[in-house]
Amino acid sequence: MSFSILNISIVGAGIGGLTAALALRRNGHHVQVFEASETKTEVGAALGVPLNALRILDHLGISRANLKSIPWSGAVSFDSQSGESTKILFSEDESRTVISLLCHRSDLYEELKRLAIGDGEGLPVGLHLGAKVVECDPEAGTISLNSGEVVHADLILGADGVHSVVRTHILGEVQKPSPSGVSCFRTTFELPDGPELQWLTEKPSGTRNSLAKEGPFRMILMYPCRNGTLLNFIGFYDDSLEDAGGWKPKGSREDILAKFQDYHPKLLSVLDLPPQSEILKWQLGVLPRLPTWVRGRAALLGDAAHATLPFLAQGAAMAIEEAGSLGCLFPAGTHPEDVPERLKAYQDIRKDRGDFVNHESVEQLKSLRRGGPVVRYQAIQAQLVHYDALGAARECYETRFGRESSST
């Protein structure tokens, strides 16, 4: 059998795009990633890497040491008025060798970038910064750049986020996210050692949260990252009263205090820590369920397919799962004529799960607005963190396409 290498264009060099590029590079394909930003990086926030995503990152060869993560084995909820705490353990067995992690986005991003464009299995990924995709023809397999260049590919992946250009051309219309009614402040602080901050780092290792007891919806979520030297801070709040005309994407310590002034002083004391990044304000939106993720030679993944609210810590995880699944469905030896059927299989195994997480993230917000609990998702934990995306994709491949060219 002749050996075939696919030419693959990925639009968007975020975590989902780079994970997909890495997975497909390892199979020997020629992968190019096109990113509109001149200097792409992931700054200003951390993220959770739950077990379902970590399994795939381990499979792709990431160095856990390079993630500079802390274990995520539980959470502590604080009463916003009294400061009293309630501990929640995700598992009674904290000695597990595989455990969810919390890390800074830029540390995960740089590790994925290192593996994608550096030495390793397969051809290094071509990363094109400042290359804005303005059009996509899913049937012909082409993308058009703002420079006028037209790039032909056997497979196009839209990992270009909530305002995806590729999505518009797959659907044939613009699909915008709907406002959630919630915004948040995001920033990171330096986290020095000291007994007065022990409540942030003691067991269980993981997140610290506090839901407002009175007034409009507000919630603080924070956790250490970068080997415990930084504190990630997120302050969610109801933005229904926000003056749209006065919206500014950056905030200040005083802005945060104005929203959370009735919180216990212990919880607000973190705002006195040395800032490590500027304070950004984000308006949270939800992408409606799409009629399809695929068309011709093009497919969506990550936020472009199912932008979710951050209340289940599964947004990045879904993009990583989808990237790993694509690696299983497009092994070495895949021919260009195989692409449309492989994408149909991809949609069959991924779309319901992506839509489910999107829906459940909205339900989680509804639960929080009613007063909690902050960690509602134990009931669906098996469907979230214990799901084996690689196993499901391999089974699908073997059932539909046989084993003759499988290398994953």
Side-chain angles (χ1 to χ4, degrees):
M1 184 178 72
S2 62
F3 185 77
S4 178
I5 295 177
L6 296 180
N7 288 309
I8 301 173
S9 292
I10 298 177
V11 184
I15 288 171
L18 284 187
T19 308
L22 172 59
L24 293 162
R25 168 203 173 156
R26 285 162 50 97
N27 294 347
H29 301 304
H30 179 223
V31 184
Q32 297 189 82
V33 179
F34 300 88
E35 168 59 45
S37 301
E38 294 282 352
T39 54
K40 176 63 177 175
T41 185
E42 295 280 343
V43 297
L47 80 170
V49 184
L51 286 174
N52 50 305
L54 188 58
R55 293 188 194 98
I56 293 165
L57 295 176
D58 284 340
H59 168 73
L60 295 177
I62 61 110
S63 164
R64 295 218 190 165
N66 288 347
L67 297 187
K68 304 172 187 175
S69 60
I70 69 160
W72 188 11
S73 58
V76 181
S77 292
F78 291 89
D79 186 288
S80 64
Q81 302 291 305
S82 68
E84 295 179 357
S85 63
T86 302
K87 296 181 179 181
I88 303 169
L89 283 174
F90 294 157
S91 171
E92 294 301 321
D93 181 11
E94 288 198 72
S95 65
R96 295 174 301 169
T97 56
V98 179
I99 194 167
S100 298
L101 304 177
L102 296 166
C103 67
H104 198 285
R105 281 180 175 271
S106 66
D107 294 330
L108 173 57
Y109 179 83
E110 290 301 325
E111 175 64 1
L112 290 169
K113 181 181 175 182
R114 179 185 73 85
L115 293 172
I117 69 175
D119 295 334
E121 294 181 57
L123 300 168
V125 171
L127 179 58
H128 306 275
L129 299 178
K132 184 178 181 180
V133 173
V134 294
E135 288 187 10
C136 169
D137 187 331
E139 302 294 347
T142 63
I143 56 173
S144 300
L145 307 181
N146 58 344
S147 64
E149 181 183 359
V150 177
V151 181
H152 294 259
D154 301 308
L155 170 63
I156 298 170
L157 297 176
D160 47 343
V162 67
H163 300 295
S164 169
V165 172
V166 177
R167 181 176 68 232
T168 296
H169 289 85
I170 286 178
L171 298 181
E173 63 179 4
V174 175
Q175 179 65 77
K176 296 182 178 181
S178 303
S180 67
V182 171
S183 290
C184 68
F185 298 101
R186 303 196 72 162
T187 191
T188 50
F189 297 101
E190 295 178 14
L191 185 57
D193 290 329
E196 69 277 6
L197 296 174
Q198 189 175 353
W199 59 278
L200 290 167
T201 57
E202 62 190 3
K203 290 187 177 182
S205 174
T207 55
R208 306 295 187 257
N209 59 71
S210 180
L211 185 64
K213 299 178 70 173
E214 298 178 355
F217 167 72
R218 289 163 298 149
M219 185 177 76
I220 287 176
L221 174 68
M222 47 193 165
Y223 51 87
C225 60
R226 194 161 288 168
N227 293 330
T229 63
L230 296 182
L231 180 70
N232 186 62
F233 177 93
I234 311 174
F236 298 99
Y237 63 92
D238 187 311
D239 66 7
S240 59
L241 300 178
E242 194 104 325
D243 178 10
W247 174 263
K248 296 179 181 179
K250 295 182 180 180
S252 66
R253 177 181 179 275
E254 288 69 31
D255 291 334
I256 299 176
L257 285 171
K259 295 290 186 183
F260 297 92
Q261 57 186 330
D262 58 336
Y263 265 58
H264 192 274
K266 175 181 179 178
L267 300 169
L268 297 180
S269 67
V270 299
L271 299 177
D272 295 323
L273 294 173
Q276 191 272 338
S277 65
E278 60 186 357
I279 297 171
L280 300 177
K281 292 170 66 179
W282 295 79
Q283 290 178 308
L284 305 182
V286 182
L287 192 67
R289 182 186 179 107
L290 303 180
T292 184
W293 290 6
V294 304
R295 178 182 167 195
R297 297 185 172 277
L300 304 172
L301 73 151
D303 283 351
H306 50 67
T308 66
L309 298 176
F311 301 107
L312 294 179
Q314 285 286 339
M318 288 301 102
I320 292 169
E321 280 192 7
E322 284 142 19
S325 299
L326 288 162
C328 294
L329 293 172
F330 290 87
T334 303
H335 292 270
E337 58 267 26
D338 299 330
V339 169
E341 286 302 315
R342 300 291 172 86
L343 290 182
K344 290 178 182 177
Y346 164 71
Q347 172 156 280
D348 287 346
I349 62 171
R350 291 303 314 172
K351 189 172 186 300
D352 285 349
R353 179 162 171 79
D355 290 342
F356 170 77
V357 171
N358 186 334
H359 172 77
E360 287 298 321
S361 73
V362 175
E363 292 301 307
Q364 173 73 355
L365 175 57
K366 291 179 181 177
S367 174
L368 292 170
R369 284 184 175 278
R370 294 191 296 264
V374 173
V375 184
R376 182 188 69 88
Y377 59 82
Q378 272 93 344
I380 57 172
Q381 189 172 24
Q383 293 166 272
L384 294 177
V385 301
H386 299 307
Y387 181 79
D388 182 1
L390 293 177
R394 288 171 178 147
E395 181 180 0
C396 174
Y397 178 86
E398 293 172 3
T399 300
R400 294 197 186 191
F401 310 114
R403 307 186 185 197
E404 67 275 6
S405 62
S406 177
S407 66
T408 58

